[in-house]
């Protein structure tokens, strides 16, 4: 069975041991028939034995006389907070499925950012402060530029 090969590659990968895996697909294997259909049962048992749990458990394709669960989402993660579901739509003969997991990434804290208001009034005020600052004695009356710089600060 092709799923066995895929699962073996995932399990043997060094990355798999460090990561949670979510498998998604339109596999045309009806999970609702696992007790009557050998292939569906083997597929489900294979995933369950590899610690993958089904996220979608209701029919994803409904016709007048049948309902099937053939669009799958399985996850190896035991998430506490997630949302999943089936979108009832006539876009296709299958209903779209989704899985949204709460992120572990903490939002960055809102650090305050200091800004300056620069307009005509603040520019004029700054110019007046510079005109009245006692720079002449500290900077202009010194022969050594290093001393002038040190005096300035």
């Amino acid at each position: 069975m092709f799923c066995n090969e895929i699962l073996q590659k995932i399990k043997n990968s060094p990355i798999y041991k460090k990561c949670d895996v979510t498998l998604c697909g339109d596999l045309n294997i009806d999970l609702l028939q696992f007790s009557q259909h050998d292939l569906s049962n083997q597929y489900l048992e294979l995933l369950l034995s590899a610690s993958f749990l089904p996220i979608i458990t209701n029919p994803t394709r409904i016709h007048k006389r049948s309902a099937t669960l053939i669009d799958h989402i399985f996850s190896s993660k035991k998430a506490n907070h997630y949302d999943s579901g089936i979108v009832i739509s006539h876009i296709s003969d299958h209903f779209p499925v989704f899985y949204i997991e709460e992120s572990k990434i903490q939002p960055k804290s809102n650090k305050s950012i200091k800004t300056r208001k620069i307009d005509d009034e603040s520019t004029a005020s700054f110019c007046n402060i510079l005109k009245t600052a006692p720079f002449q004695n500290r900077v202009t009356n010194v022969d050594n530029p290093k001393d002038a710089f040190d005096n300035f600060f």
Side-chain angles (χ1 to χ4, degrees):
M1 178 181 234
F2 76 96
C3 291
N4 195 15
E5 293 173 27
I6 293 170
L7 284 176
Q8 288 304 319
K9 286 182 182 180
I10 291 171
K11 287 173 99 175
N12 293 334
S13 166
I15 297 170
Y16 171 74
K17 292 172 177 52
K18 298 176 186 176
C19 299
D20 297 310
V21 177
T22 301
L23 301 172
C24 309
D26 170 8
L27 299 175
N28 290 327
I29 297 173
D30 186 5
L31 290 178
L32 298 177
Q33 296 297 320
F34 74 94
S35 62
Q36 294 94 9
H37 185 246
D38 193 44
L39 180 62
S40 298
N41 187 37
Q42 288 176 18
Y43 169 74
L44 183 59
E45 289 293 329
L46 178 67
L47 289 168
L48 292 173
S49 68
S51 299
F52 285 91
L53 297 176
I55 303 297
I56 302 297
T57 57
N58 289 322
T60 58
R61 187 173 185 213
I62 298 175
H63 287 281
K64 292 179 182 179
R65 296 185 180 144
S66 67
T68 55
L69 172 49
I70 56 178
D71 302 286
H72 308 161
I73 301 176
F74 282 84
S75 180
S76 67
K77 183 174 184 173
K78 282 65 175 178
N80 290 331
H81 302 285
Y82 70 89
D83 194 12
S84 66
I86 302 166
V87 179
I88 307 300
S89 171
H90 298 291
I91 293 173
S92 115
D93 63 332
H94 296 230
F95 298 142
V97 295
F98 66 91
Y99 173 65
I100 303 168
E101 186 177 303
E102 182 179 12
S103 174
K104 289 183 181 178
I105 300 171
Q106 296 296 321
K108 293 182 180 180
S109 63
N110 293 334
K111 295 180 182 177
S112 62
I113 299 172
K114 294 182 180 182
T115 60
R116 293 184 179 156
K117 179 181 176 187
I118 300 175
D119 59 10
D120 291 339
E121 184 180 334
S122 64
T123 302
S125 176
F126 181 67
C127 288
N128 285 334
I129 292 170
L130 289 177
K131 287 178 186 175
T132 60
F135 292 124
Q136 289 76 16
N137 296 339
R138 293 181 156 195
V139 179
T140 56
N141 295 338
V142 179
D143 293 331
N144 183 340
K146 182 182 180 325
D147 291 340
F149 180 79
D150 291 342
N151 286 344
F152 183 75
F153 285 104

